[in-house]
Amino acid sequence: MRVLVTGGAGYIGSTAVAILLERGYEVTVLDDCSTGHFESVPSSAKFISGSILDSKALAEALADCAAVIHFAAKSIVGESVEKPDLYHEVNVEGTRRLLDEMARLGVSKLVFSSTAATYGEPEIIPITEESPTVPTSPYGRTKLEVDQMITAESRLGLAAVSLRYFNVAGAFNSKSGWLTERHSPETHLIPNLLRASVANPLKVFGNDWPTADGTCIRDYVHVVDLIDAHILALEKLTASKHEIINLGSGGGYSVTQVIDAAAKVVGSDIPTQISARRSGDPAVLIADISKAKKVLGWIPTRNIKDMVSDTWKSQNASASK
Ligand code: UDP
């Protein structure tokens, strides 16, 4: 089966492409490389350079594909506050065009990269798929709008799963080398703390949160476990059905606990500096992953040490190139 992976040159998308290929799928990638990296796409994938806003590129990319895994999106919360129109255009309008082309060409299977940001500030932890969706950023709002659009499309026959990611971390050692986070600027905790130095310490965004050690708690999930869930979802798609499923590990780590895990991995202290809270950060986000376990038969197997250690190895591998 040939699968179209939109955004297949990005961190999570390229990991999906490499794992799909290793599992025997044929893969087409559609990416405009606005934030992704062409060299992250394995040469055995068919690569189409273009945006999801370009119906012609979409039609070319969908040729011979039986299913789509849709990652292409703008995904920086802070940037979405500054550029809500851009986020609406790419995430909502881009997905509208993808769904229209899929319907026109008879491609009726979709796995969509959604997000915990659709829930906003949770009232109850852990967060289930029934929790209220009150996104606090334009980014979260665009992803929620797409989830709703996909539900409407499923009533016309589309088989779809939206996977709501919590904090994705780690890296994948593919046959052609490490695939890892290379955002610019990098905002995520694990890559940032691994680059921290005495001259440039990791900024800890607040130590006065209502948590045991005062730092924010997040639910980190390894990118390889995350992609395993995508492939299970792909194999379980049912016509006219749209499932929404959380993907996390089902447990939380505070920023301080992640820093401590990282110090053990690298064998030395991580230099830190307590800074002001980052606006928009909730204190605690933890996923209830019972639906993923039940519907997909998925169990994440990699822990926080694996996530830090794989990111560390991948950073060292790219530094030595
Ligand atoms: N964080 C931090 N310093 C950083 C980056 C992140 O203290 O340089 C904290 C952030 O406030 C949050 C957690 O680490 O509590 C995870 O943040 P990240 O940006 O990795 O993911 P997010 O939760 O925003 O999706």
Side-chain angles (χ1 to χ4, degrees), residues 75 77 115 117 139 165-168 181 186-193 201-206 209 215-220 253-255 258-259 273 275-278 280-283 285:
S75 63
V77 172
T115 169
Y139 167 65
Y165 311 161
F166 283 66
N167 287 60
V168 186
E181 288 191 74
E186 186 53 75
T187 59
H188 290 147
L189 178 63
I190 293 174
N192 277 351
L193 67 76
L202 173 83
K203 288 191 174 129
V204 174
F205 297 139
W209 294 91
T215 62
C216 287
I217 295 175
R218 293 289 179 274
D219 181 337
Y220 297 87
Y253 288 90
S254 71
V255 172
V258 178
I259 292 168
Q273 175 191 4
S275 305
R277 289 182 177 192
R278 186 172 65 175
D281 266 344
L285 289 177

Side-chain angles (χ1 to χ4, degrees), residues 42-173:
S43 52
S44 49
K46 177 177 165 190
F47 181 78
I48 312 270
S49 174
S51 161
I52 50 169
L53 287 159
D54 177 351
S55 299
K56 218 170 128 238
L58 280 168
E60 191 189 344
L62 282 163
D64 303 324
C65 290
V68 177
I69 307 184
H70 178 33
F71 296 101
K74 304 295 288 178
S75 63
I76 302 173
V77 172
E79 184 187 51
S80 79
V81 177
E82 287 156 30
K83 301 176 183 168
D85 294 345
L86 174 69
Y87 273 65
H88 189 273
E89 190 191 10
V90 175
N91 295 1
V92 179
E93 185 54 32
T95 305
R96 180 70 267 157
R97 289 186 197 169
L98 169 67
L99 293 172
D100 288 348
E101 279 309 306
M102 286 174 68
R104 196 176 68 80
L105 297 168
V107 181
S108 60
K109 292 182 174 186
L110 176 70
V111 177
F112 174 57
S113 157
S114 185
T115 169
T118 51
Y119 299 113
E121 287 262 3
E123 279 165 21
I124 297 171
I125 295 291
I127 301 173
T128 73
E129 293 81 359
E130 269 68 53
S131 297
T133 43
V134 195
T136 50
S137 67
Y139 167 65
R141 280 193 286 279
T142 60
K143 288 281 181 173
L144 180 60
E145 212 176 308
V146 172
D147 280 343
Q148 291 162 346
M149 200 190 276
I150 293 171
T151 301
E153 208 68 22
S154 71
R155 296 197 184 105
L156 306 172
L158 184 71
V161 173
S162 289
L163 298 172
R164 289 194 171 154
Y165 311 161
F166 283 66
N167 287 60
V168 186
F172 176 55
N173 195 9

Side-chain angles (χ1 to χ4, degrees), residues 5-25:
V5 179
T6 72
Y11 162 50
I12 302 175
S14 63
T15 303
V17 173
I19 294 176
L20 283 163
L21 288 167
E22 288 181 14
R23 302 256 180 102
Y25 289 87

Side-chain angles (χ1 to χ4, degrees), residues 145-274:
E145 212 176 308
V146 172
D147 280 343
Q148 291 162 346
M149 200 190 276
I150 293 171
T151 301
E153 208 68 22
S154 71
R155 296 197 184 105
L156 306 172
L158 184 71
V161 173
S162 289
L163 298 172
R164 289 194 171 154
Y165 311 161
F166 283 66
N167 287 60
V168 186
F172 176 55
N173 195 9
S174 78
K175 284 187 179 143
S176 42
W178 281 99
L179 296 166
T180 193
E181 288 191 74
R182 286 191 286 155
H183 301 116
S184 178
E186 186 53 75
T187 59
H188 290 147
L189 178 63
I190 293 174
N192 277 351
L193 67 76
L194 290 171
R195 286 189 199 114
S197 62
V198 175
N200 195 10
L202 173 83
K203 288 191 174 129
V204 174
F205 297 139
N207 65 350
D208 55 354
W209 294 91
T211 60
D213 64 26
T215 62
C216 287
I217 295 175
R218 293 289 179 274
D219 181 337
Y220 297 87
V221 55
H222 196 292
V223 65
V224 174
D225 283 329
L226 184 96
I227 298 309
D228 281 342
H230 286 66
I231 296 175
L232 289 168
L234 190 65
E235 288 164 357
K236 287 210 153 65
L237 288 167
T238 309
S240 302
K241 201 160 185 189
H242 179 209
E243 294 280 12
I244 294 181
I245 300 175
N246 288 340
L247 294 183
S249 292
Y253 288 90
S254 71
V255 172
T256 302
Q257 287 174 319
V258 178
I259 292 168
D260 290 347
K264 288 203 185 93
V265 168
V266 304
S268 61
D269 282 350
I270 307 290
T272 60
Q273 175 191 4
I274 304 301

